[in-house]
Amino acid sequence: MTVLLFGVTKDIIGSSSLSIPSKSVTGKNAPSTVKELRDFLSNLYPDLGNLSSLAIAVNNAYAEDEQPLNTYDEIALIPPVSGG
Amino acid sequence: MNRYLRQQQLPGFGEAGQQKLAKAKVLVVGLGGLGIPVVQYLNAMGVGTLGLVEKDTVALHNLQRQVLYTERDVGKSKLAVALEQLKAQNSETHHVGYEAFLNTGNALEIISEYDVVVDATDNFPTRYLINDACVILNKPFVYGALQGFEGQVSVFNHKGGPTYRCLFPNIPKGTEIPNCNENGVLGVVPGIIGTLQALEVVKVITGIGEPLSGKVLVFDSQNHRYFKMAIQPKPEYQTIQKLLESYGATDCVQVPSIKADAFLKVIAQEVHPAIIDVRSRPEYQMDHLSQALNIPLDDLALPKSLQEQKTSIYILCQSGKRSEVAVAKLQESHPNLTFYSVLGGMNALNLEETRKA
């Protein structure tokens, strides 16, 4: 599962995308909903969990927490940015 | 000679499109990196009434991206300089200047006079204020925002479409997102994002094409990623009745900091440099400086060994955000010690190391 990173999420994680290995690689279940993905990432990167607002796109559409995820989905983290 | 001939020749735009521009009243909030290209193009293209809201003065470090201002303008009112330039560029436009920052006291009154609002500000409190005021007054607004090499554009509250709060419901707290110009903007990026905002204003006014309503465009200039995300309207954010009492402070907090290259020199020279890495344990375990002590920001407390420290204590994280927060906290609890936040964090240090190698 590949997650594209934008804005501060790129800074927090330190790269422009993140690969989440599937169960066949790690033996652990990959996140199966948007909520599980949020929890998974917040555990690894507490600063992500601390963001007041963080939009998650699944296949180029804003996804609510309960939306299920498939390994082939294209996911992106879109945080607010403020500069002008 | 008709000055708008070239755009009137366009099929689909024509004289009718020009008429619509001439009748339109557009308010641009902020005359910085985003606002400058917006007002220059809208003014050139023949928008009838342009309102400008800005209270800042021109600083030398504005000039790399705010390309309307010249070296002669440093120290002058941005609004005054912009009005003079825009009048010279197009004497047919009706210009209205507001030498003020938009706030809860003036937002509704100013915005109510206009058809379309452009959010060209540089801080979250004003962005949320513009959103709420536009929802209350039922005005569309064209949003643009930047960070580093990236930008976002969207048209909000347009014909029942989603609002800024449908995308980002809550105002970010002071320190979680880089919020100041000091975090860096590549000069040309606001030019691109601001120009896209001007384009969206023209589309909203004239009805040509498809305005970026119901989606947000995220542009990463480093590798030309143009990412579009569809957004649905959420009724709870479309029915705001009044403004919040306060949208929070717009000021940036500055803490003492040290650049990555200077920091690397310090640790090469000092025998036992005091370095605290405030990232989480897993992040620290993946990659860290051998001299750095790991105290995650959430459990931040100075160990006994450092409480009488005579030399500076350097605070490090991944990108330089958490270290800023940590320095602010430590300064409060230990006013007699000297703390520095390492700018750009591990990202910058790694970049420096690669550059040297």
Side-chain angles (χ1 to χ4, degrees), chain B residues 249-294:
Chain B
T250 56
D251 299 333
C252 305
V253 183
Q254 297 278 313
V255 302
S257 58
I258 180 168
K259 285 188 181 156
D261 52 346
F263 173 69
L264 286 173
K265 277 183 201 149
V266 168
I267 54 177
Q269 281 162 5
E270 284 189 32
V271 192
H272 294 296
I275 306 168
I276 300 176
D277 187 328
V278 293
R279 293 175 302 160
S280 66
R281 302 241 177 260
E283 288 176 280
Y284 178 81
Q285 277 155 12
M286 270 194 264
D287 174 30
H288 64 86
L289 296 178
S290 57
Q291 306 98 319
L293 189 68
N294 185 213

Side-chain angles (χ1 to χ4, degrees), chain B residues 139-339:
Chain B
K139 309 276 184 186
F141 72 102
V142 179
Y143 154 82
L146 308 167
Q147 184 181 321
F149 300 94
E150 284 182 31
Q152 299 181 353
V153 186
S154 188
V155 176
F156 288 124
N157 203 42
H158 180 47
K159 296 184 174 169
T163 73
Y164 185 51
R165 284 187 188 270
C166 300
L167 175 61
F168 301 123
N170 308 311
I171 303 184
K173 293 182 286 286
T175 48
E176 63 189 54
I177 306 279
N179 198 11
C180 317
N181 293 333
E182 279 69 19
N183 276 284
V185 174
L186 193 69
V188 66
V189 175
I192 294 167
I193 299 299
T195 310
L196 288 174
Q197 286 181 279
L199 171 67
E200 291 308 309
V201 171
V202 171
K203 284 157 71 179
V204 167
I205 293 170
T206 61
I208 59 164
E210 273 179 52
L212 261 176
S213 171
K215 43 193 110 97
V216 59
L217 171 70
V218 185
F219 166 62
D220 184 349
S221 66
Q222 288 194 97
N223 40 22
H224 276 279
R225 288 197 294 179
Y226 295 80
F227 188 88
K228 261 193 273 179
M229 174 173 72
I231 327 159
Q232 296 298 321
K234 294 183 180 174
E236 64 265 42
Y237 299 121
Q238 295 180 302
T239 50
I240 296 169
Q241 302 293 329
K242 55 180 207 171
L243 298 178
L244 299 178
E245 292 273 320
S246 160
Y247 285 78
T250 56
D251 299 333
C252 305
V253 183
Q254 297 278 313
V255 302
S257 58
I258 180 168
K259 285 188 181 156
D261 52 346
F263 173 69
L264 286 173
K265 277 183 201 149
V266 168
I267 54 177
Q269 281 162 5
E270 284 189 32
V271 192
H272 294 296
I275 306 168
I276 300 176
D277 187 328
V278 293
R279 293 175 302 160
S280 66
R281 302 241 177 260
E283 288 176 280
Y284 178 81
Q285 277 155 12
M286 270 194 264
D287 174 30
H288 64 86
L289 296 178
S290 57
Q291 306 98 319
L293 189 68
N294 185 213
I295 307 174
L297 184 59
D298 289 342
D299 321 315
L300 189 66
L302 215 52
K304 279 229 162 60
S305 59
L306 289 178
Q307 292 192 356
E308 303 289 321
Q309 182 75 14
K310 297 278 185 291
T311 57
S312 304
I313 301 173
Y314 299 93
I315 313 295
L316 181 63
C317 68
Q318 190 67 38
S319 69
K321 273 326 283 180
R322 276 172 287 178
S323 57
E324 252 178 38
V325 179
V327 168
K329 281 186 179 171
L330 289 167
Q331 276 180 330
E332 247 182 63
S333 52
H334 302 276
N336 300 323
L337 303 183
T338 313
F339 301 96

Side-chain angles (χ1 to χ4, degrees), chain B residues 17-70:
Chain B
Q18 197 60 49
Q19 287 289 326
K20 287 179 185 166
L21 284 188
K23 283 191 192 135
K25 300 170 94 181
V26 178
L27 182 73
V28 181
V29 184
L31 291 174
L34 292 171
I36 289 303
V38 172
V39 296
Q40 286 183 301
Y41 272 105
L42 294 183
N43 192 56
M45 289 177 71
V47 165
T49 301
L50 261 186
L52 316 177
V53 185
E54 180 62 87
K55 202 186 173 178
D56 211 354
T57 53
V58 180
L60 187 64
H61 61 80
N62 294 152
L63 301 185
Q64 53 78 266
R65 65 190 185 287
Q66 301 177 19
V67 296
L68 176 138
Y69 308 120
T70 69

Side-chain angles (χ1 to χ4, degrees), chain A:
Chain A
M1 190 181 284
T2 301
V3 183
L4 302 176
L5 307 171
F6 290 97
V8 76
T9 68
K10 207 162 76 173
D11 299 338
I12 290 170
I13 294 174
S15 71
S16 61
S17 70
L18 178 73
S19 185
I20 299 176
S22 64
K23 190 179 180 182
S24 58
V25 178
T26 59
K28 288 181 198 158
N29 284 328
S32 67
T33 63
V34 169
K35 174 80 170 73
E36 284 180 30
L37 177 69
R38 280 185 196 275
D39 294 344
F40 175 87
L41 292 171
S42 304
N43 273 330
L44 224 59
Y45 305 98
D47 279 7
L48 282 185
N50 289 337
L51 296 177
S52 307
S53 292
L54 174 63
I56 296 187
V58 177
N59 303 325
N60 291 83
Y62 182 100
E64 300 292 346
D65 277 355
E66 56 275 15
Q67 180 161 335
L69 294 177
N70 296 299
T71 45
Y72 47 81
D73 285 332
E74 188 191 53
I75 298 163
L77 306 187
I78 317 274
V81 299
S82 79

